[in-house]
Amino acid sequence: MEKLLLTEPGRKRLTEELDLLKTTERPAIIKAIAEARAHGDLKENAEYHSAKEKQGFIERRIKELEGVLAHGEVFAADADSAGGKVLFGCRVTIKDDDGNKRNFRLVSKYETDTAAGMIAITSPLGKALVGKSVGDIAEVKAPAGTVEYEIVAVDYPAS
């Protein structure tokens, strides 16, 4: 895995998730598997199979998070170095043709949380915004056609 960019809040959230998985979720699922085994025949034991499936998910997520955190590098653009352009980690306010405004922070795919306004820099909208400045128009190809957004504001949070 190559180096990947993370925001400081994203790194913190991923670290907390990894800690929770290792200290709480993993021991709980090991206990659940042991209890399901005690019920006898494993071929028809739905609790056992469910617990083993969950264990696989937890172990895969732990490995993924360990890889991301091992190769992740915290990056924070500042207004001086960014030159007013939309870059990784910045907050951007856009306006559609109807005048509706939306705020986003451009983050890595591992930090994406659309409900919290965090979109992946690799998403179609993220790609369209990168390198643009206030007043520029970003065009996003959507299934219904091309949608245009005007960049209204760009902010570079410290974390």
Side-chain angles (χ1 to χ4, degrees):
M1 183 181 272
E2 61 186 49
K3 280 280 185 198
L4 58 96
L5 300 179
L6 297 171
T7 61
E8 181 55 35
R11 186 204 56 78
K12 182 179 180 204
R13 187 171 51 83
L14 294 174
T15 300
E16 289 169 354
E17 181 184 351
L18 179 60
D19 185 53
L20 176 71
L21 289 171
K22 285 181 163 184
T23 62
T24 304
E25 297 292 327
R26 182 189 268 165
I29 200 64
I30 290 170
K31 182 179 177 186
I33 290 170
E35 288 173 4
R37 268 196 187 134
H39 294 161
D41 186 12
L42 299 181
K43 287 182 184 177
E44 297 179 19
N45 188 330
E47 289 176 19
Y48 174 78
H49 293 291
S50 175
K52 287 297 283 183
E53 188 175 308
K54 186 173 180 181
Q55 181 185 38
F57 170 79
I58 289 170
E59 294 303 324
R60 281 188 299 278
R61 185 65 177 156
I62 287 171
K63 285 198 182 312
E64 177 183 34
L65 291 173
E66 286 175 339
V68 168
L69 292 168
H71 296 93
E73 182 178 303
V74 174
F75 177 81
D78 59 47
D80 293 334
S81 65
K85 298 206 178 288
V86 175
L87 298 176
F88 177 85
C90 79
R91 286 195 182 105
V92 60
T93 303
I94 59 174
K95 181 172 64 171
D96 64 21
D97 291 337
D98 296 329
N100 300 314
K101 290 183 181 179
R102 298 181 354 197
N103 298 301
F104 297 105
R105 184 165 190 185
L106 295 179
V107 297
S108 73
K109 68 180 183 177
Y110 301 101
E111 302 172 77
T112 302
D113 182 351
T114 51
M118 312 259 269
I119 64 167
I121 196 163
T122 56
S123 69
L125 179 56
K127 287 178 182 177
L129 294 172
V130 171
K132 302 280 193 261
S133 301
V134 172
D136 289 349
I137 302 296
E139 293 183 352
V140 180
K141 295 190 187 317
T146 301
V147 181
E148 292 185 348
Y149 297 100
E150 179 184 353
I151 292 32
V152 177
V154 180
D155 179 40
Y156 309 93
S159 63

